[in-house]
Amino acid sequence: MNFNDVHDRVASISAAFALDRSSRQVRRHLETSDFDKLRSAGLHLVGLPVDAGGLWKSVSESTRPICQMLRSLARGDSSVALVCAMHPAVLSYWLTAPAELSERSLWRHQCQDIFTSVRDGHWWGTITSEPGSGGDITQSRTSASHGEGETSYFISGQKHFGSGSGVMSFMVTTARPEGADLPEWFYIDLRNVPWDGSHGVTITSEWDGHGMIATQSHSLKFDNFPATRMAWSHSLLPVAASAGGFIGCLFTAVIVGILDEAVAEGRKILSTRELGSFERTEWIRVELDHWLVEQAFEGMLRAIESGADARCEVLKGKTIIAEISESALTRVCRILGGSSLGRRSPFGFWLNDVRALGFLRPPWPLAFETLEALLELD
Ligand SMILES: Cc1cc2nc3c(=O)[nH]c(=O)nc-3n(C[C@H](O)[C@H](O)[C@H](O)COP(=O)(O)OP(=O)(O)OC[C@H]3O[C@@H](n4cnc5c(N)ncnc54)[C@H](O)[C@@H]3O)c2cc1C
């Protein structure tokens, strides 16, 4: 199995999803059968190293092909694509860790456990965000008390935005061990865990987004729920630094895929109409925006492929694409007319879906704070 084979299969699944768009876009939940199909296509293997039977090679070699898959998938279903993006995003914490860690048996065993779970077809997601943290992972108020084993803990706290809740087997999160200066990374096993509070997990609110409405990005409260600490301690910021550029590209790929589809569909509709000067001018602007998004995304990927620290380029690109996608979709809706505001048209859904990018980590305020700091270093 290689990236091209998996991409082709994912693209044909996405094309089938697109045929069912009108019912998918109003859906407020995920269907397990979609993830079964994507697993059969081999998409889960993007988070498994080549020498363990997967597709992952390195950030510089694997980012582009994984982004191509997510971009194609997003054309058929935005929510499924965003949830799937979380899988390689969080597995990259282990995949991009320093090679020296493999000298430690605890680390080797943890990697083996995680990679076995992926090979077995389990999906990984994340429920790191906490209300009021502004997307800043250092602000976690979730506590972690030590259990019996070196990496065994019990976490308690309120989390939200757990995209893929109920479909993902394992979720990565953060919590602060007693007395620690900074939170640590943990993962939790949510297989067959009820959300009624009887086993330490309570659903406090179901995801009710205006966009990405089927992502099941629920809010969950944890009470002494078992969690495994990443076997690389004090790694909160190094993990975020080494994986950050990669994750930014994944999220952006989903939004670029939505824009690709919206522009293609818009072009098709407009080709059947006689356009006035407003529509013609605005459509040229849409085409320019789409071109600009393509260039910015290409710039992000090339920065990653250079092997140098690409965080600044990736964050610039993610932020620019978040802004342009929103304005491009707004223009498309204006050109197409009032029906685009109706729920029978796909465009209003896409407009709200692309709005997610600016809120995904780092959300707007944190993105601009980070850019300020990174640009001063330039
Ligand atoms: C579609 C979608 C999917 C997502 N999926 C995931 C996911 O799978 N996993 C995940 O971990 N995250 C996910 N996120 C969350 C995302 O990564 C960000 O962490 C989140 O959007 C940041 O929230 P915020 O800054 O907008 O809001 P908040 O954290 O609520 O903060 C907003 C601002 O208000 C301030 N503020 C808010 N409440 C208070 C308060 N009570 N007191 C004082 N100040 C306050 C904050 O400091 C901040 O400046 C997702 C987000 C979206 C939109």
Side-chain angles (χ1 to χ4, degrees):
M1 188 133 17
N2 61 40
F3 274 123
N4 286 340
D5 296 338
V6 178
H7 176 265
D8 290 349
R9 284 196 285 263
V10 168
S12 76
I13 291 172
S14 175
F17 286 173
L19 295 175
D20 192 22
R21 173 165 297 136
S22 50
S23 61
R24 283 180 172 270
Q25 282 190 318
V26 293
R27 227 161 65 176
R28 307 202 70 90
H29 66 277
L30 295 165
E31 292 283 353
T32 312
S33 59
D34 288 348
F35 291 84
D36 294 342
K37 283 184 196 132
L38 291 163
R39 183 188 300 110
S40 304
L43 183 61
H44 63 298
L45 298 175
V46 298
L48 185 67
V50 164
D51 57 14
L55 295 171
W56 174 267
K57 288 183 188 155
S58 64
V59 169
S60 55
E61 292 167 285
S62 306
T63 304
R64 185 183 289 270
I66 298 175
C67 285
Q68 274 162 350
M69 290 179 202
L70 294 170
R71 187 170 170 177
S72 295
L73 184 55
R75 298 187 71 143
D77 191 313
S78 319
S79 289
V80 171
L82 184 62
V83 169
C84 286
M86 301 299 167
H87 175 81
V90 292
L91 289 168
S92 75
Y93 296 0
W94 283 267
L95 296 166
T96 65
E100 309 86 82
L101 285 170
S102 46
E103 285 161 23
R104 299 188 206 158
S105 70
L106 191 67
W107 175 259
R108 282 199 309 276
H109 284 127
Q110 187 170 91
C111 288
Q112 246 163 33
D113 286 348
I114 291 172
F115 297 155
T116 301
S117 79
V118 178
R119 204 179 303 110
D120 290 347
H122 291 291
W123 294 104
W124 283 67
T126 175
I127 182 155
T128 301
S129 300
E130 294 183 24
S133 67
D136 182 350
I137 51 173
T138 66
Q139 301 300 313
S140 173
R141 286 194 289 246
T142 297
S143 64
S145 58
H146 212 287
E148 299 254 301
E150 198 177 336
T151 56
S152 307
Y153 283 78
F154 294 90
I155 61 165
S156 300
Q158 177 69 57
K159 297 277 180 179
H160 65 171
F161 289 119
S163 296
S165 293
V167 171
M168 308 280 110
S169 299
F170 299 93
M171 294 287 239
V172 170
T173 192
T174 47
R176 196 181 292 266
E178 287 148 23
D181 292 340
L182 280 175
E184 294 271 10
W185 292 107
F186 293 86
Y187 63 90
I188 52 182
D189 182 347
L190 284 165
R191 285 173 294 177
N192 306 315
V193 177
W195 295 342
D196 58 3
S198 60
H199 289 70
V201 182
T202 310
I203 183 159
T204 48
S205 62
E206 280 191 33
W207 176 241
D208 61 351
H210 287 293
M212 294 295 182
I213 67 176
T215 49
Q216 295 187 185
S217 303
H218 302 324
S219 302
L220 302 177
K221 186 166 153 293
F222 297 97
D223 293 297
N224 276 313
F225 188 69
T228 305
R229 180 178 54 73
M230 192 179 191
W232 175 20
S233 52
H234 310 295
S235 63
L236 185 82
L237 298 177
V239 162
S242 57
F246 170 65
I247 296 174
C249 289
L250 301 179
F251 293 161
T252 307
V254 172
I255 283 9
V256 176
I258 297 170
L259 189 64
D260 291 339
E261 186 70 2
V263 171
E265 282 298 301
R267 230 181 254 143
K268 232 188 276 171
I269 295 170
L270 294 181
S271 69
T272 64
R273 291 191 192 170
E274 203 149 311
L275 304 181
S277 60
F278 173 77
E279 287 91 339
R280 280 200 303 275
T281 310
E282 284 296 284
W283 186 258
I284 290 167
R285 289 195 169 131
V286 169
E287 296 277 359
L288 295 179
D289 283 347
H290 190 213
W291 183 84
L292 210 51
V293 162
E294 181 73 54
Q295 306 313 307
F297 191 48
E298 183 59 30
M300 293 164 71
L301 294 176
R302 287 194 192 172
I304 287 265
E305 285 165 349
S306 74
D309 182 351
R311 274 176 298 162
C312 190
E313 277 79 2
V314 169
L315 187 50
K316 280 183 196 165
K318 171 188 177 282
T319 308
I320 289 164
I321 291 173
E323 285 185 352
I324 299 180
S325 310
E326 280 191 40
S327 67
L329 252 307
T330 301
R331 280 185 207 286
V332 174
C333 290
R334 284 183 195 154
I335 301 164
L336 291 174
S339 63
S340 63
L341 216 64
R343 293 171 74 83
R344 275 195 296 272
S345 156
F347 293 91
F349 290 96
W350 282 324
L351 172 56
N352 274 314
D353 290 341
V354 300
R355 289 178 57 216
L357 184 59
F359 297 116
L360 286 160
R361 200 166 293 118
W364 294 107
L366 193 57
F368 277 82
E369 251 171 61
T370 311
L371 278 171
E372 197 180 341
L374 287 170
L375 291 168
E376 268 173 17
L377 290 178
D378 271 352

